[in-house]
Amino acid sequence: RNFFTKRTKELKPAVQSAPGWKLFGKVPPRENLPKDSKIIQQEYKARTGRMYKPPPPSSARRKNIEFEPLSTTALILEDRPANLPAKSVEEALRHRQEYDEMVAEAKKREIKEAHKRKKIMRERFKQEENIASAMVIWVNEILPNWEGMRATRRVRELWWQGLPPSVRGKVWSLAVGNELNITPELYEIFLSRAKERWKSFSETSSENDIEDAGASVADREASLELIKLDISRTFPSLYIFQKGGPYHDLLHSVLGAYTCYRPDVGYVQGMSFIAAVLILNLEEADAFIAFANLLNKPCQLAFFRVDHSMMLKYFAAFEVFFEENLPKLFLHFKSYSLTPDIYLIDWIFTLYSKSLPLDLACRVWDVFCRDGEEFLFRTGLGILRLYEDILLQMDFIHIAQFLTKLPEDITSEKLFSCIAAIQMQNSNKKWAQVFASLMKDNKEGDKNHSPAPKS
């Protein structure tokens, strides 16, 4: 319509007043009609690699329109209907040139997209080959000689690149260890206890009673029923943990057994994500053993028991390395009084499994199992480094919202490149030394502020 509007402005008054002139009116049929515009459209789309869709039946078209342009291509190449003035030679040449340019641009886009697809495929094949060759090394060389090889430079470098999925669960189990000496039989005992409590709850308590009981410190095992609320929220897009899904009952069992095993901790939001990742990589009993030992580590225990004093020490240590690595962003956060607890708590509680794409979270877990709690905070700094330029332009609210829900297109290569650039050393002190220094200062402060003995 815009094309015809433009053309009508160019027409001379004498032509416009010619008898029988109508823009969309019914006109006598022309002899030797040029090629149908639909055919032109079909040829163009065939040449540019686009799928041609047949037009609707003629009966569906408006009966009072004999010429109905279907595309810009038709307008460029089609001769005008008999009731309109013919194109000049210059205009026809110009339209042909525009058409040729459109076709050339379409071909260029198609070639570019084809190259992009080939590049993705090459990278995928290369990644699969690397995983296959790494798997052979892990299975045949490293795992049979675990204690002797785990700390070697070669193994650590291979570990950094990400564990092959087929050996991931085994390596995690070995790296986390089993200091608690939990056996599969012990897991079955606590699972039976959990099932008994579920049964008694369903028979004697209402949902409100259960929630009240779950909040009671005296009986943290009552948080069993609260697990049900969180399981459906665990990786909702996967559906496998939803009610009726293949892993729903399994996740319920592992979390329930843990609340009976550690009633002093009970169930805390975030645990379901950690247990779910372990279940995806390990057998049921092994997942429970790794889960219980993982949550017994000092950092996880501090967070899941909500030990405020310890949590503040972790945040303070994090800020030491934050200022060291990203001074501009550190000052920007300080200017808004934006403290680490606003974004770090969610990251640490779920070990990034809720915040990052699952495959990327598993790679973070790989190195976390290798390096321990330090890597959790190094990953946090890596994320801040990756999005530093964006975050520097934001205010408090937008920073908090952004870090609470990270972009979904975050890639493993970009993130790990940023993590690798983070230096976990401050004044020649490593993470463990900085944290120990903060703990020491805290103890000395407690002594200085202790009440004087009574005389």
Side-chain angles (χ1 to χ4, degrees), residues 133-149:
S133 59
M135 184 187 68
V136 173
I137 297 170
W138 279 99
V139 171
N140 296 334
E141 299 179 38
I142 302 172
L143 290 176
N145 306 289
W146 175 252
E147 292 302 330
M149 293 190 68

Side-chain angles (χ1 to χ4, degrees), residues 409-429:
D409 62 351
I410 185 169
T411 65
S412 180
E413 291 74 21
K414 288 181 180 178
L415 177 58
F416 270 76
S417 176
C418 289
I419 293 172
I422 297 296
Q423 299 298 316
M424 296 301 283
Q425 193 161 314
N426 175 264
S427 302
N428 294 323
K429 287 184 179 180

Side-chain angles (χ1 to χ4, degrees), residues 303 311-312 315 318-319 333 336-349 355 384 395-405:
F303 276 78
M311 289 169 72
L312 288 172
F315 294 146
F318 174 81
E319 288 203 293
F333 278 28
Y336 286 112
S337 300
L338 199 148
T339 51
D341 56 292
I342 291 171
Y343 51 93
L344 265 185
I345 285 180
D346 196 41
W347 293 353
I348 302 300
F349 263 119
S355 311
L384 296 180
D395 58 17
F396 181 97
I397 295 295
H398 290 97
I399 292 171
Q401 290 175 339
F402 183 89
L403 295 179
T404 301
K405 186 170 176 56

Side-chain angles (χ1 to χ4, degrees), residues 194-257:
K195 288 179 177 178
E196 288 173 8
R197 293 188 67 83
W198 284 328
K199 187 177 180 182
S200 64
F201 276 134
S202 62
E203 290 174 354
T204 62
S205 302
S206 68
E207 192 171 328
N208 291 333
D209 293 337
I210 290 162
E211 291 189 10
D212 291 340
S216 170
V217 178
D219 187 11
R220 294 298 291 273
E221 287 188 21
S223 61
L224 282 170
E225 195 67 19
L226 299 179
I227 294 168
K228 290 181 180 178
L229 301 174
D230 266 1
I231 289 181
S232 61
R233 303 170 188 158
T234 306
F235 299 123
S237 60
L238 295 181
Y239 298 105
I240 56 177
F241 295 106
Q242 309 302 302
K243 192 169 183 64
Y247 289 103
H248 175 273
D249 293 344
L250 194 57
L251 181 56
H252 201 183
S253 296
V254 169
L255 293 171

Side-chain angles (χ1 to χ4, degrees), residues 222-354:
S223 61
L224 282 170
E225 195 67 19
L226 299 179
I227 294 168
K228 290 181 180 178
L229 301 174
D230 266 1
I231 289 181
S232 61
R233 303 170 188 158
T234 306
F235 299 123
S237 60
L238 295 181
Y239 298 105
I240 56 177
F241 295 106
Q242 309 302 302
K243 192 169 183 64
Y247 289 103
H248 175 273
D249 293 344
L250 194 57
L251 181 56
H252 201 183
S253 296
V254 169
L255 293 171
Y258 180 77
T259 58
C260 289
Y261 172 69
R262 290 298 299 266
D264 59 317
V265 179
Y267 175 75
V268 182
Q269 278 190 325
M271 285 184 179
S272 62
F273 281 89
I274 297 176
V277 173
L278 290 169
I279 285 169
L280 290 172
N281 291 278
L282 290 160
E283 295 297 323
E284 182 176 351
D286 293 329
F288 176 79
I289 293 168
F291 182 69
N293 279 278
L294 194 57
L295 266 55
N296 200 50
K297 303 293 182 184
C299 181
Q300 277 61 56
L301 207 54
F303 276 78
F304 281 112
R305 294 182 77 170
V306 196
D307 184 335
H308 292 289
S309 177
M310 283 289 285
M311 289 169 72
L312 288 172
K313 300 299 172 297
Y314 280 109
F315 294 146
F318 174 81
E319 288 203 293
V320 168
F321 293 96
F322 187 179
E323 185 175 16
E324 179 79 19
N325 285 275
L326 305 165
K328 280 179 66 178
L329 190 61
F330 177 79
L331 290 175
H332 184 63
F333 278 28
K334 280 288 182 185
S335 69
Y336 286 112
S337 300
L338 199 148
T339 51
D341 56 292
I342 291 171
Y343 51 93
L344 265 185
I345 285 180
D346 196 41
W347 293 353
I348 302 300
F349 263 119
T350 62
L351 302 181
Y352 295 96
S353 56
K354 182 182 177 184

Side-chain angles (χ1 to χ4, degrees), residues 6-250:
K6 185 178 179 182
R7 283 298 307 153
T8 54
K9 290 179 181 178
E10 297 174 5
L11 298 177
K12 296 177 180 179
V15 177
Q16 288 181 350
S17 60
W21 181 86
K22 288 183 181 178
L23 185 58
F24 290 109
K26 194 169 183 180
V27 295
R30 280 178 65 186
E31 294 181 4
N32 301 322
L33 284 173
K35 191 185 296 184
D36 192 282
S37 63
K38 295 190 291 296
I39 298 173
I40 296 174
Q41 185 189 40
Q42 184 176 358
E43 289 175 352
Y44 168 67
K45 291 189 175 181
R47 289 179 66 183
T48 58
R50 292 162 60 187
M51 185 63 68
Y52 171 70
K53 293 182 180 178
S58 58
S59 59
R61 297 174 60 185
R62 287 179 289 174
K63 293 181 180 179
N64 64 331
I65 298 178
E66 183 174 281
F67 174 76
E68 186 174 12
L70 298 177
S71 70
T72 53
T73 309
L75 293 175
I76 289 172
L77 295 184
E78 179 72 22
D79 287 338
R80 295 207 182 97
N83 63 324
L84 292 178
K87 293 180 183 179
S88 66
V89 175
E90 293 81 5
E91 188 179 12
L93 287 172
R94 191 177 79 248
H95 286 176
R96 166 57 67 177
Q97 185 180 356
E98 289 172 355
Y99 169 75
D100 291 340
E101 287 173 359
M102 287 169 58
V103 173
E105 188 63 32
K107 284 182 177 178
K108 197 187 296 182
R109 280 199 305 270
E110 182 63 30
I111 291 169
K112 189 176 179 181
E113 288 173 5
H115 283 314
K116 188 177 178 181
R117 286 194 296 269
K118 284 181 181 178
K119 185 181 177 183
I120 292 171
M121 290 301 293
R122 280 199 303 269
E123 289 175 354
R124 188 175 296 169
F125 286 139
K126 185 180 178 182
Q127 187 179 14
E128 288 174 357
E129 287 175 2
N130 291 339
I131 290 172
S133 59
M135 184 187 68
V136 173
I137 297 170
W138 279 99
V139 171
N140 296 334
E141 299 179 38
I142 302 172
L143 290 176
N145 306 289
W146 175 252
E147 292 302 330
M149 293 190 68
R150 65 179 295 180
T152 63
R153 184 175 178 178
R154 180 193 176 208
V155 170
R156 289 182 64 81
E157 288 177 354
L158 195 62
W159 206 330
W160 173 268
Q161 294 167 18
L163 297 169
S166 58
V167 300
R168 178 167 272 152
K170 180 66 175 174
V171 175
W172 286 359
S173 289
L174 290 169
V176 171
N178 188 10
E179 292 180 355
L180 299 173
N181 295 315
I182 300 173
T183 61
E185 290 75 24
L186 191 63
Y187 166 63
E188 291 297 335
I189 290 169
F190 285 109
L191 178 57
S192 297
R193 185 180 298 179
K195 288 179 177 178
E196 288 173 8
R197 293 188 67 83
W198 284 328
K199 187 177 180 182
S200 64
F201 276 134
S202 62
E203 290 174 354
T204 62
S205 302
S206 68
E207 192 171 328
N208 291 333
D209 293 337
I210 290 162
E211 291 189 10
D212 291 340
S216 170
V217 178
D219 187 11
R220 294 298 291 273
E221 287 188 21
S223 61
L224 282 170
E225 195 67 19
L226 299 179
I227 294 168
K228 290 181 180 178
L229 301 174
D230 266 1
I231 289 181
S232 61
R233 303 170 188 158
T234 306
F235 299 123
S237 60
L238 295 181
Y239 298 105
I240 56 177
F241 295 106
Q242 309 302 302
K243 192 169 183 64
Y247 289 103
H248 175 273
D249 293 344
L250 194 57

